[in-house]
Amino acid sequence: MREFADSTRRFSQACTSSAMIYLMHVCAIQVIAGAPNKYLFEKVKSERALSTLAFSEKGSRSHFWAPVSRAQQNGKGIQINANKSFVTSAGRADYYVLSSGAIGGKSATDSTLYLVKGGTSGVETLGEWKGLGLRGNSSAAMTFACTLDESSRLTEEGGGFKAMLDIALPWFQIGSAAVSIGIAEAALANTLKHTTSARLEHMGGSLAEIVPEIRARLARMQLAVDSSRAFLDQTLTKIEAQAPDAMLGVLGAKAVASENAVRVTDEAMRACGGAAFGSQLSVERHFRDARAASVMAPTTEILYDFIGRAVAGLPLF
Ligand SMILES: Cc1cc2nc3c(=O)[nH]c(=O)nc-3n(C[C@H](O)[C@H](O)[C@H](O)COP(=O)(O)OP(=O)(O)OC[C@H]3O[C@@H](n4cnc5c(N)ncnc54)[C@H](O)[C@@H]3O)c2cc1C
């Protein structure tokens, strides 16, 4: 997981859309690898296929753990009818790890995960993705109206909630934190490059040399980057040691890193002034890309609620 976090962070420094595609692929692969049917992992591996998660639904929005779609058993197999609100690599992935309400399920969290091959009849991408940020990762809406056979199951019937929380969530949280750290590092590097080279000629120095407020912004950016890195490192250490409070770190790592990335990229935009509005510095791209992590589920608000519940000794759900 540490190696995964490091790779994801480095990809994100260069291209956050690519980092997010990689992150979703790794989350999907972890679920596939954990499936009782070992053949599915061998198949995806041998095909060197790209996979992704199709969890969030139009009806339950960011509450991805509660799909409102309901699978049904019919004479031909398992009938899926699910409207997914956002899927990274939509229409491009070879395989989708799909959640749907369990057959005959009673509660919102009674779900099952399936592996669906891209191009299956009834699997449709709804329009082109035109996001504020992460423009290169095709996070469009999709519909899945298809019939699957028993071998597509990634979990036992009703085992989706546990796999989403025990397998997909930790990998997503750690990877998402790494993505945000990569953005913040790149924004800091590009801001440093600009503010130490752009000059106020009439005053005889660079922006960083002449303007104390710019130095203060650089300081806040550096401290925020260091805080996110330290939190992630501490969380990875706790995971490696199987510490009892590792889950608190897993929940916190994304919240800390994504909110810091939003702050850091805002500082970057202000420190670089009008020059940041052009695409040459890449700062405006970091600013747009940074905003995605805080609204990707679990959103920051939901993470604060989960963490608050954990701290207060209350159940998460
Ligand atoms: C670029 C991008 C890529 C994505 N890729 C994927 C993907 O590959 N797979 C996938 O499954 N999903 C994906 N998503 C979806 C994502 O995980 C969220 O489900 C989605 O962003 C939530 O948006 P929404 O409009 O449905 O939010 P809403 O649920 O409508 O939330 C609106 C606001 O209410 C707040 N809120 C909601 N519930 C609570 C609560 N209980 N307590 C406090 N605040 C609350 C939220 O924090 C948010 O601020 C992606 C999203 C984006 C933006």
Side-chain angles (χ1 to χ4, degrees):
M1 200 176 249
R2 193 179 282 278
E3 197 180 327
F4 156 68
D6 197 44
S7 315
T8 309
R9 182 180 63 82
R10 286 160 186 256
F11 289 150
S12 182
Q13 288 171 350
C15 176
T16 305
S17 291
S18 304
M20 191 56 75
I21 290 166
Y22 171 68
L23 154 61
M24 289 318 230
H25 170 70
V26 171
C27 293
I29 287 292
Q30 293 299 331
V31 175
I32 298 165
N37 180 356
K38 296 297 168 207
Y39 167 75
L40 295 176
F41 177 61
E42 291 308 322
K43 184 173 159 62
V44 172
K45 196 169 79 167
S46 69
E47 292 176 16
R48 302 178 64 83
L50 178 71
S51 51
T52 191
L53 299 178
F55 287 176
S56 305
E57 295 201 348
K58 212 173 149 205
S60 48
R61 311 188 66 87
S62 55
H63 301 190
F64 69 87
W65 53 87
V68 294
S69 63
R70 186 73 50 213
Q72 287 180 328
Q73 190 87 50
N74 63 25
K76 293 182 186 156
I78 305 158
Q79 180 68 45
I80 302 288
N81 217 326
N83 294 321
K84 299 293 176 179
S85 51
F86 299 84
V87 181
T88 297
S89 310
R92 311 294 177 101
D94 301 306
Y95 287 98
Y96 299 89
V97 170
L98 177 94
S99 60
S100 189
I103 298 166
K106 299 276 182 287
S107 78
T109 53
D110 217 351
S111 63
T112 305
L113 301 186
Y114 303 94
L115 189 66
V116 181
K117 196 164 173 44
T120 300
S121 168
V123 175
E124 305 284 345
T125 305
L126 306 178
E128 215 185 309
W129 167 243
K130 288 191 182 137
L132 169 76
L134 296 182
R135 287 192 182 160
N137 79 346
S138 184
S139 295
M142 293 186 74
T143 53
F144 292 78
C146 51
T147 305
L148 305 176
D149 63 36
E150 288 295 322
S151 67
S152 313
R153 283 180 191 282
L154 289 170
T155 63
E156 306 292 343
E157 192 61 43
F161 180 73
K162 188 170 163 41
M164 283 192 266
L165 263 67
D166 289 357
I167 307 176
L169 184 71
W171 287 90
F172 177 73
Q173 290 285 114
I174 295 300
S176 182
V179 164
S180 293
I181 294 170
I183 299 174
E185 288 171 334
L188 174 56
N190 287 328
T191 304
L192 272 172
K193 202 166 146 193
H194 179 69
T195 56
T196 54
S197 61
R199 292 177 61 79
L200 292 165
E201 285 182 11
H202 63 298
M203 298 177 84
S206 67
L207 289 169
E209 282 170 323
I210 304 291
V211 186
E213 179 57 22
I214 289 182
R215 293 195 292 276
R217 290 194 191 285
L218 292 172
R220 287 194 292 268
M221 291 167 79
Q222 183 69 61
L223 293 173
V225 168
D226 288 346
S227 309
S228 299
R229 279 195 201 129
F231 197 102
L232 179 61
D233 183 56
Q234 176 187 277
T235 300
L236 287 166
T237 303
K238 283 184 182 180
I239 293 170
E240 285 155 2
Q242 299 184 348
D245 61 344
M247 197 51 179
L248 209 52
V250 167
L251 294 173
K254 173 175 175 283
V256 168
S258 65
E259 294 309 312
N260 274 341
V262 168
R263 281 186 211 109
V264 166
T265 54
D266 184 61
E267 296 273 15
M269 288 296 291
R270 292 167 192 263
C272 296
F277 272 71
S279 55
Q280 310 91 301
L281 300 187
S282 296
V283 166
E284 55 83 36
R285 177 166 58 88
H286 304 316
F287 177 77
R288 291 184 286 105
D289 287 346
R291 305 206 65 83
S294 60
V295 297
M296 288 184 79
T299 65
T300 297
E301 288 77 15
I302 291 174
L303 286 172
Y304 288 157
D305 186 44
F306 283 166
I307 295 164
R309 282 173 173 275
V311 169
L314 300 168
L316 293 199
F317 291 89

